[in-house]
Short mmCIF file of all heavy atoms in Angstrom, two decimals:
data_model
loop_
_atom_site.label_atom_id
_atom_site.label_comp_id
_atom_site.label_asym_id
_atom_site.label_seq_id
_atom_site.Cartn_x
_atom_site.Cartn_y
_atom_site.Cartn_z
N SER A 251 75.05 34.38 45.15
CA SER A 251 76.13 33.92 44.28
C SER A 251 76.27 32.41 44.31
O SER A 251 76.49 31.77 43.27
CB SER A 251 77.45 34.58 44.71
OG SER A 251 77.38 35.99 44.62
N ALA A 252 76.13 31.83 45.51
CA ALA A 252 76.25 30.37 45.62
C ALA A 252 75.13 29.67 44.86
O ALA A 252 75.35 28.63 44.23
CB ALA A 252 76.24 29.97 47.09
N LEU A 253 73.92 30.23 44.91
CA LEU A 253 72.81 29.63 44.18
C LEU A 253 73.05 29.66 42.66
O LEU A 253 72.76 28.69 41.95
CB LEU A 253 71.50 30.35 44.52
CG LEU A 253 70.98 30.15 45.95
CD1 LEU A 253 69.78 31.04 46.20
CD2 LEU A 253 70.62 28.68 46.19
N VAL A 254 73.59 30.78 42.18
CA VAL A 254 73.89 30.88 40.75
C VAL A 254 74.97 29.88 40.36
O VAL A 254 74.86 29.16 39.34
CB VAL A 254 74.31 32.31 40.40
CG1 VAL A 254 74.79 32.39 38.95
CG2 VAL A 254 73.16 33.28 40.62
N TRP A 255 76.02 29.80 41.17
CA TRP A 255 77.09 28.85 40.88
C TRP A 255 76.59 27.41 40.98
O TRP A 255 77.08 26.52 40.27
CB TRP A 255 78.27 29.06 41.82
CG TRP A 255 79.21 30.12 41.36
CD1 TRP A 255 79.20 31.44 41.70
CD2 TRP A 255 80.30 29.96 40.44
NE1 TRP A 255 80.23 32.11 41.07
CE2 TRP A 255 80.92 31.23 40.29
CE3 TRP A 255 80.81 28.87 39.74
CZ2 TRP A 255 82.01 31.43 39.46
CZ3 TRP A 255 81.92 29.07 38.91
CH2 TRP A 255 82.50 30.34 38.79
N GLY A 256 75.63 27.16 41.88
CA GLY A 256 75.07 25.83 42.00
C GLY A 256 74.42 25.36 40.71
O GLY A 256 74.55 24.19 40.32
N THR A 257 73.71 26.26 40.04
CA THR A 257 73.12 25.91 38.74
C THR A 257 74.19 25.71 37.67
O THR A 257 74.05 24.85 36.80
CB THR A 257 72.13 26.99 38.30
OG1 THR A 257 72.83 28.24 38.17
CG2 THR A 257 71.02 27.16 39.32
N MET A 258 75.26 26.50 37.74
CA MET A 258 76.34 26.34 36.77
C MET A 258 77.08 25.03 36.96
O MET A 258 77.60 24.43 36.01
CB MET A 258 77.30 27.52 36.88
CG MET A 258 76.69 28.86 36.51
SD MET A 258 77.75 30.25 36.91
CE MET A 258 79.19 29.91 35.91
N PHE A 259 77.15 24.54 38.21
CA PHE A 259 77.84 23.28 38.52
C PHE A 259 76.98 22.05 38.25
O PHE A 259 77.47 20.93 38.43
CB PHE A 259 78.29 23.27 39.98
CG PHE A 259 79.52 24.08 40.26
CD1 PHE A 259 79.56 24.98 41.31
CD2 PHE A 259 80.65 23.93 39.49
CE1 PHE A 259 80.70 25.72 41.58
CE2 PHE A 259 81.80 24.66 39.74
CZ PHE A 259 81.82 25.56 40.79
N ASN A 260 75.73 22.23 37.88
CA ASN A 260 74.85 21.08 37.67
C ASN A 260 75.47 20.12 36.64
O ASN A 260 75.81 20.54 35.53
CB ASN A 260 73.48 21.56 37.17
CG ASN A 260 72.47 20.44 37.13
OD1 ASN A 260 72.54 19.54 36.32
ND2 ASN A 260 71.50 20.50 38.04
N PRO A 261 75.63 18.84 36.98
CA PRO A 261 76.33 17.92 36.07
C PRO A 261 75.63 17.71 34.74
O PRO A 261 76.29 17.41 33.73
CB PRO A 261 76.40 16.61 36.87
CG PRO A 261 76.21 17.02 38.30
CD PRO A 261 75.30 18.21 38.27
N THR A 262 74.30 17.83 34.70
CA THR A 262 73.56 17.54 33.46
C THR A 262 73.13 18.79 32.71
O THR A 262 73.07 18.78 31.48
CB THR A 262 72.31 16.69 33.78
OG1 THR A 262 71.50 17.40 34.74
CG2 THR A 262 72.71 15.35 34.37
N GLN A 263 72.81 19.86 33.43
CA GLN A 263 72.29 21.06 32.79
C GLN A 263 73.17 22.29 33.01
O GLN A 263 72.85 23.35 32.50
CB GLN A 263 70.88 21.36 33.31
CG GLN A 263 69.90 20.23 33.04
CD GLN A 263 68.53 20.50 33.64
OE1 GLN A 263 68.36 21.42 34.43
NE2 GLN A 263 67.54 19.72 33.25
N GLY A 264 74.24 22.16 33.75
CA GLY A 264 75.09 23.29 34.05
C GLY A 264 75.90 23.76 32.85
O GLY A 264 76.32 22.96 32.00
N ILE A 265 76.15 25.06 32.81
CA ILE A 265 76.86 25.64 31.67
C ILE A 265 78.35 25.30 31.69
O ILE A 265 79.00 25.29 30.63
CB ILE A 265 76.65 27.17 31.65
CG1 ILE A 265 77.11 27.76 30.32
CG2 ILE A 265 77.38 27.83 32.82
CD1 ILE A 265 76.77 29.21 30.16
N LEU A 266 78.90 25.00 32.85
CA LEU A 266 80.33 24.69 32.92
C LEU A 266 80.65 23.39 32.17
O LEU A 266 81.66 23.31 31.46
CB LEU A 266 80.77 24.58 34.38
CG LEU A 266 80.71 25.88 35.19
CD1 LEU A 266 81.20 25.65 36.61
CD2 LEU A 266 81.55 26.97 34.52
N ASN A 267 79.81 22.39 32.33
CA ASN A 267 80.03 21.15 31.57
C ASN A 267 79.81 21.36 30.08
O ASN A 267 80.42 20.68 29.24
CB ASN A 267 79.10 20.05 32.08
CG ASN A 267 79.70 19.30 33.25
OD1 ASN A 267 80.90 19.41 33.52
ND2 ASN A 267 78.88 18.55 33.95
N TYR A 268 78.95 22.31 29.73
CA TYR A 268 78.75 22.64 28.32
C TYR A 268 80.05 23.20 27.72
O TYR A 268 80.44 22.84 26.61
CB TYR A 268 77.61 23.64 28.18
CG TYR A 268 77.41 24.17 26.78
CD1 TYR A 268 76.85 23.37 25.78
CD2 TYR A 268 77.79 25.47 26.45
CE1 TYR A 268 76.68 23.86 24.49
CE2 TYR A 268 77.61 25.97 25.17
CZ TYR A 268 77.05 25.16 24.19
OH TYR A 268 76.89 25.65 22.92
N PHE A 269 80.72 24.09 28.47
CA PHE A 269 81.99 24.63 28.00
C PHE A 269 83.05 23.54 27.91
O PHE A 269 83.88 23.53 26.99
CB PHE A 269 82.46 25.75 28.92
CG PHE A 269 81.66 27.01 28.78
CD1 PHE A 269 81.33 27.76 29.90
CD2 PHE A 269 81.24 27.46 27.54
CE1 PHE A 269 80.59 28.93 29.77
CE2 PHE A 269 80.51 28.62 27.39
CZ PHE A 269 80.18 29.36 28.52
N LEU A 270 83.07 22.63 28.88
CA LEU A 270 84.03 21.53 28.82
C LEU A 270 83.80 20.66 27.59
O LEU A 270 84.75 20.20 26.95
CB LEU A 270 83.93 20.68 30.10
CG LEU A 270 84.40 21.32 31.40
CD1 LEU A 270 84.20 20.36 32.56
CD2 LEU A 270 85.86 21.76 31.32
N GLU A 271 82.54 20.46 27.27
CA GLU A 271 82.22 19.65 26.10
C GLU A 271 82.66 20.33 24.81
O GLU A 271 83.14 19.68 23.89
CB GLU A 271 80.71 19.38 26.06
CG GLU A 271 80.28 18.36 25.02
CD GLU A 271 78.80 18.07 25.11
OE1 GLU A 271 78.10 18.73 25.91
OE2 GLU A 271 78.34 17.17 24.38
N ILE A 272 82.52 21.67 24.76
CA ILE A 272 82.97 22.41 23.58
C ILE A 272 84.48 22.28 23.41
O ILE A 272 85.00 22.15 22.29
CB ILE A 272 82.56 23.88 23.70
CG1 ILE A 272 81.04 24.02 23.59
CG2 ILE A 272 83.23 24.74 22.63
CD1 ILE A 272 80.53 25.44 23.76
#
Side-chain angles (χ1 to χ4, degrees):
S251 300
L253 291 174
V254 173
W255 275 94
T257 60
M258 295 170 61
F259 282 131
N260 189 290
T262 57
Q263 300 176 348
I265 192 173
L266 294 181
N267 273 346
Y268 173 73
F269 287 140
L270 292 179
E271 190 175 5
I272 292 177

